[in-house]
Amino acid sequence: MKKATKFLTMTLAMVMTVCTLTACGGGAAKGNTITFGTNAEFPPFEYVTSNGVIGEYDGIDMVIAKQIAESNGMTATMENMEFDSLLVALQNGQIDAVIAGMTATDERRETVDFSTPYYTATQVMIVREDSDITSATDMADKKICVLQGYTGEICVQNMGYTYEAFKKGTEAVMELVNGKCDVVVIDSATAQKYVGDNEGLKIVEDPSAFESEEYAIAVQKGNTELLDKINSAIDKMLADGTINELAVKYTEEVTAE
Ligand code: GLN
C-alpha cells in the first residue's frame, strides 16, 4: 500500500471510530441505543444481580427493555437511579425512556407520555402474620410504611393517614419484620416477593380501597417516534404471551431464591 493511501485509510478509520464513540455517548435516542432509566429496587421487575439481562440488572422489565430495543434493531442500556428522579431525568433528556414498574397515572401523564400498558397490579398491605389488619381502614391507628414517590404513598396520603416513607422496599420490610411499623403498602407482585423472602409476613388485599394500576413505559412528551417503536414491541409481546410467561417465570424464580 502506498504511503499516502495508507495515511488516508488510517485517518478514515480514526474518524469513523470517533463518530461511533460519539453516537454511543448516551443521552436522548442517539444512534442505535435506547437509554432506559429504572430503579433497580423493585423485584420481580428490576433488581441488581451478578449476572443480569442488561449489565447487572435483571427482572421482567429488563427483558422487556432488551426485546424492545432488539426488535427495532437497537441496543438497550440501563441507568439505575432513585425512583423519584426518573421522570426528571426523562424530561432532561438524560434517558430516553423509563421502565420501572411505573403506573401510568393521570398526574404523571401531565409531564410524560406512556406506552401501551403491559402489566396490571394493585396496591396491597404487607403485615405480620399475627396482625389484626384486614382492610385499609384498619390502618387508621397503625404505623404505616410506604415507598417514597410510589403510587402506594399517594394512596395512603389520599386516605389521610400519617406514614413514614422509605427509599427502598427492603428497608420498609425490615421495619415491619422488626416490629417498628405495622404495615407496608406496596405493589402486589413486589409484595409477594418480599413475603416469600421473609418469615412471618402475609399479604392483605382490599380491592375496595385500592384501584388496579397499569404499568407502562414513559417517554418524553411528543416523542412519538420512540413511543411507536416501544408500542409495536409491547403489542407483540402481549399478543404472543411473552409478558405473561415472564411474569410467571420471574415471580417463581425470584421468590425461590
Ligand atoms: N407502581 C408504583 C409506581 O408507579 C411503584 C413503581 C416502582 O417502585 N418501581 O409508583
Side-chain angles (χ1 to χ4, degrees), residues 211-231:
E211 287 171 6
S212 74
E213 302 183 13
E214 294 193 305
Y215 294 174
I217 296 167
V219 299
Q220 272 185 352
K221 254 200 180 308
N223 190 353
T224 47
E225 194 189 331
L226 181 57
L227 198 60
D228 288 348
K229 289 190 169 91
I230 291 173
N231 279 341

Side-chain angles (χ1 to χ4, degrees), residues 38-39 41-42 45-46 61 83 86 99-105 108 121 123 147-154 186-187 190 213-215:
T38 197
N39 172 240
E41 297 283 346
F42 196 64
F45 291 90
E46 39 266 332
D61 282 346
F83 189 78
L86 285 166
I99 184 157
M102 182 175 273
T103 306
T105 64
R108 291 172 182 159
Q123 298 300 307
L147 282 304
Q148 199 172 304
Y150 285 25
T151 39
E153 178 179 14
I154 299 160
I186 193 166
D187 298 52
T190 307
E213 302 183 13
E214 294 193 305
Y215 294 174

Side-chain angles (χ1 to χ4, degrees), residues 44-222:
F45 291 90
E46 39 266 332
Y47 51 93
V48 177
T49 176
S50 50
N51 185 23
V53 172
I54 300 177
E56 56 182 324
Y57 309 113
D58 203 351
I60 299 168
D61 282 346
M62 302 301 104
V63 180
I64 293 176
K66 193 165 185 223
Q67 290 211 13
I68 287 171
E70 281 174 4
S71 69
N72 286 287
M74 300 169 89
T75 311
T77 59
M78 201 54 65
E79 284 200 24
N80 188 19
M81 60 188 79
E82 286 185 0
F83 189 78
D84 265 356
S85 309
L86 285 166
L87 293 187
V88 180
L90 179 61
Q91 282 171 290
N92 290 343
Q94 188 190 334
I95 51 177
D96 303 317
V98 172
I99 184 157
M102 182 175 273
T103 306
T105 64
D106 289 343
E107 201 193 339
R108 291 172 182 159
R109 273 184 208 285
E110 284 171 17
T111 51
V112 295
D113 285 344
F114 280 104
S115 70
T116 306
Y118 60 90
Y119 188 87
T120 305
T122 183
Q123 298 300 307
V124 299
M125 296 166 280
I126 314 180
V127 298
R128 285 182 300 277
E129 258 163 11
D130 60 359
S131 171
D132 57 1
I133 295 176
T134 58
S135 69
T137 49
D138 291 338
M139 294 196 292
D141 56 350
K142 304 284 187 190
K143 270 203 78 184
I144 307 170
C145 286
V146 299
L147 282 304
Q148 199 172 304
Y150 285 25
T151 39
E153 178 179 14
I154 299 160
C155 287
V156 172
Q157 233 166 39
N158 290 342
M159 289 171 184
Y161 300 145
T162 48
Y163 59 82
E164 194 174 346
F166 289 83
K167 289 204 169 174
K168 293 183 178 183
T170 44
E171 289 170 1
V173 170
M174 271 307 115
E175 291 281 298
L176 179 63
V177 169
N178 296 332
K180 290 186 187 150
C181 85
D182 303 309
V183 52
V184 176
V185 177
I186 193 166
D187 298 52
S188 38
T190 307
Q192 259 179 46
K193 143 84 181 146
Y194 288 137
V195 169
D197 281 357
N198 293 278
E199 292 277 304
L201 300 181
K202 65 176 181 184
I203 290 175
V204 176
E205 294 176 24
D206 188 347
S208 65
F210 302 110
E211 287 171 6
S212 74
E213 302 183 13
E214 294 193 305
Y215 294 174
I217 296 167
V219 299
Q220 272 185 352
K221 254 200 180 308

